[in-house]
Amino acid sequence: MKTKILILGGTTESRQLASALDERFGDNAQIISSLAGRTKNAAPIAGEVRVGGFGGEEGLASYLKSENINLVIDATHPFAEQISNNAAVAANKIGVPRVLLQRPSWQLPENCDALFVPDMAEAANIVARTARKVFLTIGVNELSAFEGTPKVHFVVRMIEKLRIQPGLNDFEIIYARPPFELADEKKLMRDHDIDALVTKASGGAATFAKIEAATSIGARIILIRRPPPPDGDIVSNIDDAIKWIEKSINQF
Ligand code: NAP
């Protein structure tokens, strides 16, 4: 019988994993990638794709049971805290092995002016006190934390077209999709005279250039700390995820 593997996705790594599993296990496994459905033009993914929430941890547990899922790989974004916690609880409840594939944190350049903060509210406080021109690369959901910040011009970078304009006092929006190159990031920050970058401490190679660029122009980097991962197995790359799957299959 085929091993049914659910990948909780929405990241570059989750797409790479789907391709790697397709190649490694071929017809011996059924690979299902799950997306929240936030992105309109999601990149192609190997194997099957399902879209939309499960209905909390209960809904996910029901899905795992009714679809006879054998293994869960949580390859969601490090800041997708809710779905990761739901996956941990649901898989544990149903007795399905689960692993978190979490990309390594960035190794910050030694000479950077970096400040870690717990949340966007604290980032907004620091920005209000210390910055004039701020590059915001935080996604759409938490822009409101910066509303009402006086005397700051925000350069907001988005991947998806915004449906509603942000309520920031003074801003412009740039649309672009990673990966980003160092030379382009430097030019963008220089052209906009950026003195602070606000970003989640997401990790990943595709967006690291902004950290290097901010360092090279002397801009402060305000990083939102990652939420803690749920208890359980963690791997940090695709090879180790495959090894975890092989080990789990051998234990069936
Ligand atoms: P979240 O806050 O952790 O999850 C909120 C709800 O969205 C979950 O409870 C679940 O709904 C649904 N959901 C999230 N990921 C899902 C998935 N892969 N498949 C099916 N349902 C999912 O998630 P988020 O931070 O909004 O992120 C949503 C998606 O965008 C994730 O897939 C994540 O990998 C990706 N992403 C997030 C960020 C970020 O900064 N947060 C950045 C890049 C990509 P139900 O409770 O109804 O199941």
Side-chain angles (χ1 to χ4, degrees), residues 8-11 34-36 38 50 52-56 76-77 79-83 86 141 200:
L8 297 169
T11 57
S34 174
L35 304 177
R38 310 262 200 278
R50 69 160 297 286
F54 296 95
T76 56
H77 190 271
F79 281 79
E81 196 175 6
Q82 186 65 59
I83 188 70
N86 290 354
N141 291 335
K200 295 174 181 176

Side-chain angles (χ1 to χ4, degrees), residues 92-210:
N92 195 30
K93 188 174 169 188
I94 303 300
V96 176
R98 173 203 59 93
V99 68
L100 180 66
L101 168 57
Q102 191 162 76
R103 57 174 81 140
S105 295
W106 287 317
Q107 291 293 316
L108 298 179
E110 271 180 17
N111 56 337
C112 73
D113 174 13
L115 205 57
F116 280 89
V117 296
D119 51 33
M120 291 298 167
E122 186 55 23
N125 276 334
I126 293 169
V127 159
R129 283 189 277 113
T130 63
R132 289 176 307 110
K133 297 205 170 172
V134 175
F135 188 25
L136 269 189
T137 64
I138 58 169
V140 64
N141 291 335
E142 293 173 275
L143 280 178
S144 58
F146 297 86
E147 284 176 7
T149 309
K151 296 180 194 154
V152 174
H153 179 75
F154 290 99
V155 178
V156 182
R157 183 158 68 195
M158 290 286 147
I159 296 178
E160 294 275 311
K161 193 92 184 145
L162 280 179
R163 287 192 210 111
I164 304 167
Q165 288 295 294
L168 304 169
N169 291 336
D170 179 8
F171 69 96
E172 63 192 285
I173 300 180
I174 294 171
Y175 291 102
R177 193 172 283 276
F180 300 111
E181 299 296 330
L182 179 57
D184 298 334
E185 294 291 65
K186 263 192 203 168
K187 181 171 182 337
L188 187 152
M189 290 190 209
R190 279 211 181 100
D191 286 353
H192 290 85
D193 202 14
I194 293 297
D195 57 11
L197 161 71
V198 179
T199 179
K200 295 174 181 176
S202 302
T207 56
F208 184 62
K210 65 186 166 189

